[in-house]
Amino acid sequence: MLKLNNIIKNKIDKLISEPGKVFGLVYPYMFILVTILGFLYVINLNYISRQNVDPPLPDTTAQSDLPVMQSKTIPPIDITKIREPAPDLIAKGKNIFTTVCSSCHGTEGKGDGPTAASLNPKPRNFTSKEGWKNGSKLSQIYKTLQDGIPGSGMASYEYLTPEEKFGLAHYIRTTFVPNPSQDSPDDLTVLDQLYNLSKGKEIPTQIPVAAAAKFVISENDSTVQVITGIMSTLSGNYSNPAVAIFDKITQNKFQALVSLERSLDWKENEQLFINTIVDNVNQNGFNRQVFNLTDNDWDLIYVYLKNVL
Ligand code: HEC
């Protein structure tokens, strides 16, 4: 026992005195370990380098639907009153002009706002008599605001109320336009009739198209349910000869059933039934195989469909 201990001790002493040998013994294991670790790293590289959560990209394919809008009433206005440049109307117009219009038309109305440089044609210089397309009468400015000027930076401001549009027109005319031309009574009558000003206007509630479509579909839901039910009893039930015939004479079973559902008078007699199908073949979900049916086939399919529909 002592001998063995001595031998081991000697060996260890020998190894310690020769570090190169120790390294030689350990090196192959180190090499294998590092290789395995490296291998695992490469295998998992996908997980390590790839983000699990995709970065949110803006969806540029999405189409926006109509927004929900409450119905609103545009109150009728009194033309004889609103044609007068009352201070409160002008103040209202000035407010809107400063926030909405001055970026193009400039705070002095000279058509030199900060955005003007990039525009062609240039915004109107209200202080000059030159270049007006519609004109500077009340009714003409109203028209400009209502319809915009196509092919220019001057958009339609249709969404403003009639009162706001008159306010703007008064503000522009009293503040910037030298000796603005006056409207004749006819000008204002025409304006009134054109835009229904003294009648007011009801704007109905608007709901998104998608919601409207859902609404219409749900109204048809019961038909769809009935027919889906029939479809499931039809499928695979070919031991019933009527089902086999129906299968043969339809190109679109669902459409065929819907078209029969929609005109139930064929149930009165078999001839009516045959006419209903044959007259519109190819458009009603049936196909030209109907012309090959025997009298017996017609009897079978008639009785069958009359029962299920
Ligand atoms: C994005 C720039 C821009 C904004 C904002 C803008 N306009 Fe204009 N406006 C124009 C341009 C450009 C023209 C000239 C169009 C042309 O000559 O075809 C014009 C022309 C006009 C005219 C003259 C029409 C005529 O008869 O020739 C009036 C009046 C007018 N704008 C009023 C307004 C009012 C009021 C607002 C704010 C509610 C407004 N604009 C906002 C660019 C703008």
Side-chain angles (χ1 to χ4, degrees):
M1 207 50 202
L2 199 74
K3 223 173 168 187
L4 196 65
N5 268 352
N6 274 344
I7 292 172
I8 293 175
K9 204 170 170 237
N10 276 346
K11 278 217 157 169
I12 291 175
D13 285 347
K14 222 171 166 192
L15 276 176
I16 290 172
S17 63
E18 294 171 279
K21 216 169 178 184
V22 174
F23 186 71
L25 272 175
V26 174
Y27 181 76
Y29 299 106
M30 295 258 290
F31 181 76
I32 291 170
L33 189 70
V34 167
T35 311
I36 290 174
L37 282 178
F39 195 61
L40 284 177
Y41 179 79
V42 171
I43 284 181
N44 286 311
L45 206 57
N46 263 353
Y47 292 107
I48 294 165
S49 62
R50 196 183 292 157
Q51 211 181 333
N52 276 336
V53 182
D54 290 334
L57 291 176
D59 181 1
T60 51
T61 61
Q63 291 193 343
S64 56
D65 203 340
L66 298 174
V68 175
M69 281 195 331
Q70 287 292 333
S71 63
K72 64 178 174 194
T73 307
I74 294 181
I77 52 168
D78 182 350
I79 286 268
T80 53
K81 212 173 136 203
I82 209 157
R83 64 174 299 175
E84 302 303 331
D88 62 323
L89 262 186
I90 295 176
K92 222 175 232 174
K94 177 176 181 178
N95 227 340
I96 302 172
F97 187 87
T98 318
T99 46
V100 185
C101 325
S102 64
S103 60
C104 288
H105 289 282
T107 43
E108 314 263 279
K110 289 190 177 144
D112 57 357
T115 317
S118 61
L119 292 177
N120 180 24
K122 294 276 169 258
R124 187 72 57 250
N125 174 358
F126 299 137
T127 63
S128 158
K129 285 270 176 198
E130 308 294 314
W132 289 77
K133 290 192 174 154
N134 284 327
S136 62
K137 287 184 188 175
L138 211 68
S139 56
Q140 291 166 329
I141 294 182
Y142 194 97
K143 182 177 173 1
T144 299
L145 290 175
Q146 183 75 23
D147 302 337
I149 299 203
S152 82
M154 183 61 205
S156 155
Y157 289 89
E158 202 245 327
Y159 66 88
L160 296 174
T161 66
E163 200 189 15
E164 289 165 338
K165 287 177 208 143
F166 272 102
L168 277 164
H170 282 311
Y171 174 67
I172 291 173
R173 284 162 52 82
T174 53
T175 319
F176 308 125
V177 183
N179 300 318
S181 6
Q182 298 299 318
D183 294 81
S184 71
D186 275 357
D187 289 337
L188 291 172
T189 314
V190 170
L191 186 75
D192 180 10
Q193 279 169 359
L194 202 54
Y195 300 120
N196 267 338
L197 296 179
S198 54
K199 285 212 186 82
K201 202 156 122 192
E202 288 288 338
I203 297 180
T205 307
Q206 169 183 296
I207 64 170
V209 175
K214 249 190 206 153
F215 190 66
V216 173
I217 289 168
S218 75
E219 281 203 318
N220 276 318
D221 247 10
S222 55
T223 315
V224 172
Q225 257 166 27
V226 168
I227 288 175
T228 317
I230 298 172
M231 294 278 289
S232 69
T233 62
L234 285 176
S235 67
N237 190 8
Y238 296 117
S239 54
N240 182 338
V243 173
I245 295 171
F246 186 71
D247 188 58
K248 194 174 73 175
I249 61 173
T250 45
Q251 54 180 348
N252 181 335
K253 292 194 183 64
F254 191 83
Q255 192 189 355
L257 291 169
V258 171
S259 67
L260 286 176
E261 236 282 324
R262 297 253 158 95
S263 58
L264 284 175
D265 46 345
W266 57 267
K267 283 192 171 181
E268 275 167 34
N269 64 60
E270 191 174 327
Q271 192 52 52
L272 220 55
F273 171 68
I274 295 174
N275 292 348
T276 308
I277 291 179
V278 171
D279 287 350
N280 278 311
V281 90
N282 288 339
Q283 279 145 52
N284 56 9
F286 290 89
N287 64 34
R288 303 187 64 82
Q289 289 288 336
V290 294
F291 299 113
N292 300 329
L293 293 186
T294 64
D295 285 352
N296 188 36
D297 292 339
W298 278 116
D299 291 348
L300 279 172
I301 189 77
Y302 174 61
V303 172
Y304 179 78
L305 288 176
K306 204 170 143 175
N307 275 330
V308 294
L309 276 170

